[in-house]
Amino acid sequence: MGSKNKLKRFAENETFPNVIQPKRVEVMEGFHLKGKWAGHFGNGNPIVLELGCGKGEYTVGLAKRNPKKNFIGIDIKGARFWRGAKTALEDNVTNAAFLRTQIELIDFMFEENEVSEIWITFPDPQIKYKRTKHRLTNKIFLNKYRTILKPMGTVHLKTDSEFMHGYTLGLLHGLGCTVIYANHDVYKNEGCPEEVLEIQTFYENQYLDEGKPITYIQFRLTN
């Protein structure tokens, strides 16, 4: 993407009512929406997050299918989620919003027990050991998710990476978490939730064209 397109998208994001872009200092000193996301949406419906939302396909797709829930796509790359934010506005999807921030600050953005579900869709598996701290299902991140999730809140991981799938399953079992459902190839095995099959991201379509199997885990961070 050219720099002119990025600048144009950054400018448009500033005008979108469904985009929140706090400065880091605002987050660290007391984010104004922490514990008050119901006020932003104008209702007390369950809150669902998509972490590393990219173009926002899952955020918007889930919001359309679940009007009684509120969805927030989170990514540091505003020029990327611009597409999802714009689509939500064009399609009048009022229960979808986008938050530009680093995911490691997530526990500064949401209060304890404020979130009902988390989706992690096609994250970078960060395969090298020195990159473990950036892996979105490492122990540090899981503890952050546990803090903001409701006691029976669920996490969904959809990935093309067998490494990420296996790493996460092993970690969950070691921590005594509850694995509700796991599938190594969602398009060949039956029983996968419809929203896992029916919503496909830009990257997922690329992986499917390459013949890569798509994996999925649904779990709770409680036993």
Side-chain angles (χ1 to χ4, degrees), residues 107-191:
D107 47 341
F108 289 90
M109 320 292 281
F110 298 91
E111 191 58 85
E112 291 184 19
N113 304 325
E114 191 173 13
V115 175
S116 294
E117 293 178 58
I118 292 175
W119 283 79
I120 306 171
T121 52
F122 299 96
D124 187 330
Q126 307 289 359
I127 293 175
K128 293 183 179 180
Y129 178 77
K130 65 180 181 180
R131 300 289 297 175
T132 301
K133 65 180 181 180
H134 298 290
R135 211 172 287 156
L136 290 185
T137 57
N138 70 27
K139 191 173 181 179
I140 293 173
F141 276 115
L142 292 181
N143 284 333
K144 289 178 180 287
Y145 307 155
R146 190 196 308 269
T147 297
I148 63 174
L149 278 168
K150 294 182 182 298
M152 296 298 287
T154 56
V155 183
H156 309 260
L157 172 66
K158 188 178 182 183
T159 176
D160 68 304
S161 171
E162 280 289 344
F163 167 81
M164 187 74 164
H165 183 82
Y167 165 83
T168 303
L169 276 179
L171 189 57
L172 294 173
H173 287 306
L175 294 173
C177 299
T178 301
V179 176
I180 301 168
Y181 181 84
N183 192 322
H184 284 270
D185 193 338
V186 299
Y187 294 104
K188 289 187 177 179
N189 299 316
E190 296 182 357

Side-chain angles (χ1 to χ4, degrees), residues 10-167:
F10 289 149
E12 282 198 53
N13 280 345
E14 293 288 345
T15 71
F16 289 167
N18 60 351
V19 172
I20 302 99
Q21 303 185 93
K23 293 181 171 60
R24 186 182 180 93
V25 65
E26 295 175 53
V27 175
M28 303 302 291
E29 292 182 355
F31 183 50
H32 70 286
L33 285 174
K34 182 177 181 179
K36 300 177 182 178
W37 282 96
H40 173 79
F41 287 102
N43 61 65
N45 292 341
I47 293 173
V48 183
L49 310 181
E50 184 192 2
L51 305 183
C53 67
K55 295 177 182 291
E57 296 101 329
Y58 251 90
T59 299
V60 176
L62 289 170
K64 288 181 176 180
R65 286 164 172 76
N66 301 277
K68 297 297 184 182
K69 295 180 181 180
N70 298 320
F71 294 84
I72 304 170
I74 301 177
D75 207 303
I76 194 61
K77 296 182 179 179
R80 187 175 291 171
F81 71 56
W82 165 88
R83 179 64 269 169
K86 190 174 182 69
T87 297
L89 292 175
E90 291 172 343
D91 294 351
N92 196 32
V93 183
T94 59
N95 61 325
F98 291 85
L99 175 61
R100 185 171 184 241
T101 191
Q102 294 168 307
I103 295 171
E104 53 262 38
L105 300 178
I106 195 169
D107 47 341
F108 289 90
M109 320 292 281
F110 298 91
E111 191 58 85
E112 291 184 19
N113 304 325
E114 191 173 13
V115 175
S116 294
E117 293 178 58
I118 292 175
W119 283 79
I120 306 171
T121 52
F122 299 96
D124 187 330
Q126 307 289 359
I127 293 175
K128 293 183 179 180
Y129 178 77
K130 65 180 181 180
R131 300 289 297 175
T132 301
K133 65 180 181 180
H134 298 290
R135 211 172 287 156
L136 290 185
T137 57
N138 70 27
K139 191 173 181 179
I140 293 173
F141 276 115
L142 292 181
N143 284 333
K144 289 178 180 287
Y145 307 155
R146 190 196 308 269
T147 297
I148 63 174
L149 278 168
K150 294 182 182 298
M152 296 298 287
T154 56
V155 183
H156 309 260
L157 172 66
K158 188 178 182 183
T159 176
D160 68 304
S161 171
E162 280 289 344
F163 167 81
M164 187 74 164
H165 183 82
Y167 165 83

